[in-house]
Structure formats: C-alpha cells, structure tokens
Amino acid sequence: MSTDKGITFHRYAAMEPSSLENLSILYQSSDFIIVNKHWDIRIDSKMWYEKLTVQSQLKHKFPELADPDTYYGFRFCHQLDFSTSGALCVALNKAAAGRAYKCFAQRLVTKAYLALVRGSVREDRLTINYAIGKDTREGLTHMMCTEGTEGCDNAKPCQTELIVLQHGLYGGEPVTKVLLQPLTGRTHQLRVHCAAIGHPIVGDFTYSFKKDSGPYRMMLHAYALRIPVDRELIDVIAPDPFVNTVDKQWSPRHTVCEVGLALQELKARETEAGKERQGMEGMGKEETCLESEEQRVLCEQWLAEWTLE
C-alpha cells in the first residue's frame, strides 16, 4: 500500500483471477467508494449463475453499507465494461448519488484511460471524431460501429483525445501505449474509435472480430477519475497495470510522453473547456434556471450511454 496526496492506493497482483476477497479500494468517504475494478468481472448481474460481480464483492467487504432500498445494494455512478479494469465510483446514499449525477449532467467529470493498441501510432496526438451507432448486421447486434459502415444505425457525434505514451512490443508484436480521454459518452466508444483508426486495443476479442484471443485480458484501464462533487473532490488514480513488472509480454522500447505529463495536459484542456461551458451557461442563466423535461431526458440518456470503453 502507498499514499499520495491523501489518497490511499491498494496495489494488487494485476494478473491474478478475481475473487470476493480481492476488491481493491482507491478511495473511501462517508458518501463514496472508488474501487479499482478487476478485469473480466461485471459490475452487477441479474443472472443467477453470475455470483462474482463488483456488487457481490462490495456486499462481502462492506455488508453494513449495502442499501436495501436498491436492487443491487449499491449505487454505481457510471459504468465500466466487464473486460475493462480501473476506477469505478460507487455512491453510498441517494443524496451522494444525486450530487455525482449533477457532475455528470454538467459535464464536469474527467475520465482518462490507459490502453495498449496494436501497431505503431504515428501521430503523438490525435483527436478522433468518428460518429458511432449501433451495428444492426445479423449476429452483431451487441456491437457498435462508425458512421458510414454497413448496418450502422443512429450514429451520434463522438470525440476522443489520444496521447501516445510509449512504443514497444507485446508478445513480440508492435504496440503503442496510449492515454485516452473520451469527450463524449457512447457505448464502447474507446474500443470502436481505436479500431476505426486501425489500432484496435490489444486483447479486444469483440472488435477484432474474434481474432485477438491470445492476451489474458483486454488492455483497457480506467486510469484517472475526477468528480468535483459539492462536498468533496474525488480525484483518484488506479495504478497502471500495463508495466513490464506486471506483464512480461509488454516490452516498452521508446517513451514519447510520461503519463503524468499527459494527464496534466488532458486536465488542463478539460479545465479550460469547463470554464467555457460555465461562461456560456452563465450568459443564459435567467432563461435556463429550471431544467426542462427535455433537458432531463437528454441528460438521463447521456448518463445511460456512459459506457465509454
């Protein structure tokens, strides 16, 4: 265990299988818990045969904190796909969940992901702007796709910022380690955007069309999470699992940008964007002091699509 700026990190053997006991806690207060979600584990499930979930881990570790008024016992403020690891926010009461909801609704939440992607990304910085919709082709209904591809339905504008961190090899094949910031929230956004630029995420079985089955996991990790709720600032880092000391298959060869500097760059950019949004909101404050039904519905839809990976 180590601490940094008052935040406690519980390091774990990143390649070991998940269990009820190995829930990693990054942050805890009276209102929130931030867990370092394990790879290949669902947040919750209504299927009787899925016994091991983040929900069941939380109930095992904190039975006294489970809320009987909720279906799952805990209020998950956003989503991570079962094959994605990293920082996941859990609200411990209805009021806290409402404050977190407000941050998401006002676009105040900052999320950054680490990923290993196939091939060598040439540009050090990329803004990916492909619109994403549902893939309606037979047998692919749980997948997403980019606008203009066959069977793509109801595509919506999406934007992802990419910063190259390192070039190297994974299992002898060229890969690039990148920091990704989703500026919109669309199902599987990061996975689809990386595949769309010709650099699918290592181990992404779905968006490699069942070809990339060798790695032990999909190499996508929710690295940084910042939620400025009214009563506290949640600002956590989920330790990087894509290091050679954890996975010997990953061999970095050339560093382009240190992850700390890249994260500072993304946060600075997000801060400026937040100021612009607040300025625009302030100009029309008298006209929009009450949230309209249309705004509420749009916000709930946006929150439902916050499965970015």
Side-chain angles (χ1 to χ4, degrees), residues 47-170:
M47 308 305 292
W48 64 268
Y49 54 83
E50 289 190 302
K51 304 294 186 182
L52 182 58
T53 62
V54 177
Q55 168 205 4
S56 63
Q57 288 180 319
L58 284 166
K59 282 188 174 180
H60 179 76
K61 191 175 184 68
F62 303 107
E64 72 283 0
L65 298 181
D67 187 343
D69 292 333
T70 64
Y71 183 89
Y72 294 115
F74 293 88
R75 294 176 170 86
F76 298 101
C77 298
H78 57 107
Q79 297 290 312
L80 290 179
D81 192 68
F82 81 98
S83 54
T84 303
S85 60
L88 174 67
C89 181
V90 182
L92 297 179
N93 54 72
K94 187 176 182 179
R99 293 196 295 274
Y101 164 88
K102 182 179 178 181
C103 290
F104 279 96
Q106 295 179 345
R107 313 297 200 267
L108 299 176
V109 175
T110 301
K111 300 182 79 174
Y113 292 71
L114 290 172
L116 296 182
V117 300
R118 293 287 180 188
S120 297
V121 180
R122 294 183 179 181
E123 299 88 347
D124 293 345
R125 303 288 191 279
L126 278 176
T127 299
I128 309 171
N129 284 306
Y130 292 107
I132 295 176
K134 292 184 178 181
D135 195 329
T136 61
R137 290 175 293 174
E138 186 177 357
L140 301 176
T141 52
H142 294 293
M143 293 178 64
M144 308 297 285
C145 54
T146 55
E147 187 175 30
T149 58
E150 181 185 354
C152 191
D153 180 57
N154 192 29
K156 297 180 181 179
C158 295
Q159 188 174 76
T160 299
E161 295 291 339
L162 180 152
I163 298 178
V164 171
L165 302 176
Q166 291 178 309
H167 294 286
L169 302 173
Y170 190 86

Side-chain angles (χ1 to χ4, degrees), residues 1-4 8-14 24-26 36 238-240:
M1 180 190 301
S2 63
T3 59
D4 181 27
T8 300
F9 299 121
H10 292 256
R11 300 186 182 276
Y12 63 95
S24 176
I25 306 300
L26 301 170
N36 188 3
D240 181 2

